[in-house]
Amino acid sequence: MEATTTEPIRVQSLSQSGLSHVPPQFIQPLHTRPIPNNPSSTTHHNVPIIDLFAFDPNHRNSTRASIARACHEWGAFYVTNHGVPVTLLDDIRRVGLTFFNDCSMPVKLRYACNSGAAATEGYGSRMLVSSDDQNDGVQVLDWRDYFDHHTLPLSRRNPNNWPDFPSDYRKIVANYSDEMNVLAKKLLALISESLGLKPSCIEDCVGEFYQNITMSYYPPCPEPELTLGLQSHSDMGAITLLIQDDVSGLQVVDNSDGGWVTVKPVSDAVLVILADQTEIITNGKYRSCEHRAITNPDRARFSVATFHDPAKTAKISPASDLINELSPAKYQGVVYGDYVLSWYTKGPEGKRNLDALVLES
């Protein structure tokens, strides 16, 4: 959503204006600023890279084992040989960058999202707004522009709401949506199996996917040490599939020490990010991945995130097959629409909305 009732200045326009200092509303409080030259955050440790072997049954056992380790230790992992044509990954990066780099601002603003409602489709800058509780509640903005597409169910998909330049933009986004939908279902089946559950378990709990595709453009920033491209959060849905360009900027929390690790881009791979509802369904055996984006002083960064969420009316609870006397439920059930409302009204701030559902032991 846009967090304002007036048309905001786009971050790309600010960056192109040649300013030498970021405006005050983009300056993060001290405790959330990226730490310059932090060995943990500047070293590209990288999350696990898992070869799916095109879902060859002969490799399924080893693939499940690798996924189990990655879900437990990171909540995120790259997949290769995933079945999505590499040409399609290149195509959606191409059409997205064409929109941000080659369209004039008046053309872009034809697709501006509704600034007065949450999670509306279109071109915007202020989907997430954090509140600096240590600075009299001043809103802190992310150094990012985005375009959000509503793609599934098909009843939500209206390509007329998307750019028509370049000419294949709408076709590429629709094809990409379909491919990501198939991949997400296959991955959730493997994740379910890795816990000894039936393949359809997590998907059955989630129900029909509500899919959004968000293209994010992070312009060069004159003071990257003061800003974030995207504040710290875990995704609120079930599973996110992300691709990016060759510019580093995505960071994830290393669960072993709580530090930030910069994820090295892998152009032909898809990054799998577990989201909050999957942590609830797996009763905390697998954790959603807390992540953020830092900015770059010299180069713009571009990513495409495909979110797969439950319906707003879905009730999400730990899977019954994972609950017993020795392993009681760790989370209370929640109606997904209520969770979304909390996420947008309170702000994500790491994983605080999920933490609020933890049951006392």
Side-chain angles (χ1 to χ4, degrees):
M1 69 175 179
E2 292 276 37
T4 179
T5 56
T6 59
E7 189 61 48
I9 297 174
R10 302 304 178 187
V11 177
Q12 188 175 10
S13 297
L14 285 174
S15 178
Q16 291 172 341
S17 70
L19 77 176
S20 57
H21 299 285
V22 299
Q25 64 266 36
F26 292 94
I27 297 177
Q28 291 287 325
L30 285 171
H31 67 282
T32 61
R33 292 178 192 173
I35 302 173
N37 303 318
N38 181 350
S40 174
S41 63
T42 56
T43 301
H44 297 289
H45 293 278
N46 229 16
V47 297
I49 301 176
I50 299 174
D51 191 336
L52 296 179
F53 296 100
F55 297 94
D56 182 346
N58 293 323
H59 293 277
R60 200 165 183 89
N61 287 340
S62 61
T63 301
R64 278 196 301 254
S66 297
I67 285 176
R69 286 192 297 272
C71 289
H72 177 73
E73 295 174 4
W74 290 91
F77 53 94
Y78 276 118
V79 291
T80 60
N81 289 314
H82 40 64
V84 181
V86 172
T87 53
L88 183 58
L89 305 185
D90 293 337
D91 280 341
I92 198 160
R93 283 187 283 247
R94 171 180 57 81
V95 299
L97 282 169
T98 298
F99 172 78
F100 285 104
N101 289 331
D102 296 345
C103 288
S104 66
M105 186 55 66
V107 170
K108 292 176 184 174
L109 290 177
R110 292 178 197 167
Y111 302 99
C113 59
N114 181 351
S115 60
T120 56
E121 186 170 33
Y123 173 57
S125 296
R126 302 182 181 183
M127 183 176 288
L128 300 181
V129 180
S130 63
S131 176
D132 178 7
D133 294 332
Q134 298 183 6
N135 192 26
D136 299 324
V138 175
Q139 292 181 335
V140 182
L141 305 181
D142 294 329
W143 192 261
R144 177 187 78 134
D145 295 331
Y146 67 87
F147 199 110
D148 189 36
H149 312 73
H150 294 179
T151 44
L152 289 175
L154 289 176
S155 59
R156 299 172 70 236
R157 183 188 293 182
N158 183 359
N160 290 328
N161 293 334
W162 310 339
D164 57 2
F165 178 80
S167 60
D168 58 348
Y169 186 109
R170 295 172 178 175
K171 178 181 178 181
I172 293 298
V173 172
N175 290 345
Y176 189 80
S177 164
D178 294 340
E179 290 283 352
M180 289 292 113
N181 181 48
V182 171
L183 179 58
K185 291 181 177 182
K186 290 181 176 179
L187 287 166
L188 286 182
L190 283 167
I191 293 168
S192 294
E193 289 179 13
S194 74
L195 287 169
L197 303 170
K198 65 180 182 179
S200 65
C201 180
I202 297 178
E203 185 181 344
D204 290 345
C205 292
V206 172
E208 182 178 27
F209 281 154
Y210 278 65
Q211 183 197 68
N212 283 20
I213 296 177
T214 301
M215 298 179 180
S216 294
Y217 185 87
Y218 303 92
C221 179
E223 295 179 296
E225 71 280 4
L226 300 180
T227 60
L228 287 173
L230 193 61
Q231 65 186 271
S232 169
H233 69 288
S234 55
D235 294 339
M236 56 187 162
I239 189 170
T240 303
L241 304 179
L242 181 137
I243 65 170
Q244 50 191 330
D245 60 14
D246 62 348
V247 180
S248 296
L250 176 67
Q251 293 188 328
V252 300
V253 168
D254 184 342
N255 289 325
S256 67
D257 61 12
W260 288 102
V261 173
T262 302
V263 178
K264 181 180 179 181
V266 180
S267 62
D268 295 346
V270 175
L271 183 66
V272 181
I273 300 175
L274 298 191
D276 291 346
Q277 307 314 303
T278 295
E279 178 168 336
I280 295 172
I281 293 167
T282 64
N283 203 35
K285 293 183 183 299
Y286 294 160
R287 299 194 62 196
S288 59
C289 176
E290 186 175 348
H291 54 286
R292 69 182 185 182
I294 58 175
T295 58
N296 188 297
D298 305 310
R299 299 181 65 188
R301 176 174 171 264
F302 180 75
S303 68
V304 183
T306 307
F307 303 96
H308 299 87
D309 302 343
K312 297 285 182 65
T313 56
K315 176 74 176 289
I316 304 298
S317 304
S320 58
D321 287 346
L322 295 176
I323 306 303
N324 54 53
E325 290 185 4
L326 297 178
S327 180
K330 295 180 179 179
Y331 303 88
Q332 62 183 354
V334 64
V335 175
Y336 184 62
D338 294 340
Y339 191 86
V340 172
L341 181 62
S342 173
W343 201 90
Y344 276 113
T345 55
K346 295 180 181 178
E349 293 194 18
K351 299 177 67 170
R352 74 173 183 178
N353 291 292
L354 183 60
D355 293 340
L357 298 177
V358 176
L359 296 169
E360 294 185 7
S361 56

